[in-house]
Amino acid sequence: GMQPWVKRYLEKLKQHCAFDGWGAVSLPKAASTRDELEQVAALAHKHQVNPVSGQSKRSVDIFSSNLHRDVSSCLSYLGITHENGVESGPFLLDIVAQDMAQAHKKIIYEVNAPHHFYEGTEQLTAERKFRQRLLARLGHKLHHVNAHQWSQLSPASRITFLLRIQDEATKANIQLAPLSSPTRSPGLKSIGVPRTPRQRLALQQAGTAVRA
């Protein structure tokens, strides 16, 4: 058998050494106990609560393009709660925003970046059209933001554009709501959804820019 000092030396290596270069052996840590694993899972669940739905987070917060990131930034500026990259079946919805008038309703943005169109045209690729047909079959109403339209808008006009989408989606959601649902007051007829001070300021700035 091995000399006692050899055994002691190997035991010391086992306890204090981990080799991590060029395919060498690495000694794994002991597996966590069941209680530890459950605590880790509970902690992860606690920090992955969806701010839109209040349920377990189902988004990965990724951006499909620079245009997607730009639209998300504008929504954040307006104070509209939303998520990026929300799972729906085999797809990721680009942006899922909260309806400002009915918190339980959602507004889905489909951001069509330049690479989603055939080069030199304003025609969506077959792959993009197929995705959108399937999402419609899943019951999603998509509100499109197209690259060629977005690039022609000024910053103030982009804000107005997104507010218009929110407005139209809110009106559609109210029409689909049960008759017992609360309705808007007559004074909000031309507005559609409640405005925050920042949104009112953005609308004023947009109006000033258009008149100029």
Side-chain angles (χ1 to χ4, degrees):
M2 290 186 295
Q3 296 292 329
W5 67 269
V6 175
K7 294 181 179 180
R8 290 195 300 270
Y9 179 76
L10 293 177
E11 184 63 27
K12 184 174 292 186
L13 283 178
K14 182 178 179 181
Q15 293 175 0
H16 298 288
C17 297
F19 301 94
D20 56 1
W22 304 107
V25 176
S26 178
L27 301 176
K29 296 181 180 179
S32 301
T33 64
R34 182 178 181 85
D35 290 341
E36 290 175 338
L37 292 175
E38 290 177 350
Q39 291 175 2
V40 171
L43 184 62
H45 176 76
K46 178 180 179 181
H47 291 284
Q48 291 185 350
V49 175
N50 185 325
V52 174
S53 65
Q55 300 175 351
S56 298
K57 189 171 182 179
R58 299 287 293 170
S59 71
V60 292
D61 197 25
I62 62 173
F63 302 96
S64 59
S65 63
N66 290 332
L67 173 59
H68 182 175
R69 188 184 299 274
D70 195 14
V71 173
S72 177
S73 297
C74 289
L75 290 174
S76 296
Y77 174 80
L78 290 171
I80 297 174
T81 302
H82 66 282
E83 287 189 287
N84 299 289
V86 179
E87 291 181 15
S88 179
F91 301 104
L92 290 178
L93 301 175
D94 287 339
I95 299 175
V96 178
Q98 191 176 62
D99 188 322
M100 297 169 59
Q102 302 179 93
H104 63 286
K105 295 287 187 178
K106 306 297 177 284
I107 299 173
I108 302 173
Y109 289 80
E110 178 80 346
V111 182
N112 298 312
H115 65 272
H116 294 137
F117 296 87
Y118 288 113
E119 186 174 359
T121 74
E122 296 180 2
Q123 181 179 354
L124 289 170
T125 63
E127 180 182 2
R128 192 68 173 177
K129 290 181 178 179
F130 182 65
R131 161 194 159 87
Q132 293 173 1
R133 284 199 300 269
L134 291 181
L135 287 174
R137 292 285 184 89
L138 291 173
H140 297 305
K141 169 64 176 176
L142 303 179
H143 299 273
H144 296 268
V145 178
N146 295 320
H148 57 273
Q149 296 173 329
W150 187 263
S151 62
Q152 297 175 1
L153 298 176
S154 66
S157 297
R158 291 174 180 178
I159 295 298
T160 305
F161 175 76
L162 294 179
L163 286 175
R164 186 179 297 116
I165 290 180
Q166 289 281 134
D167 221 19
E168 293 173 353
T170 295
K171 291 176 182 177
N173 287 338
I174 290 176
Q175 291 176 355
L176 294 175
L179 296 178
S180 59
S181 298
T183 58
R184 295 173 295 168
S185 63
L188 295 179
K189 183 176 181 180
S190 62
I191 300 178
V193 296
R195 304 295 188 196
T196 64
R198 174 173 286 183
Q199 292 167 0
R200 289 196 295 269
L201 177 61
L203 283 177
Q204 292 173 1
Q205 293 174 345
T208 302
V210 171
R211 288 193 297 270

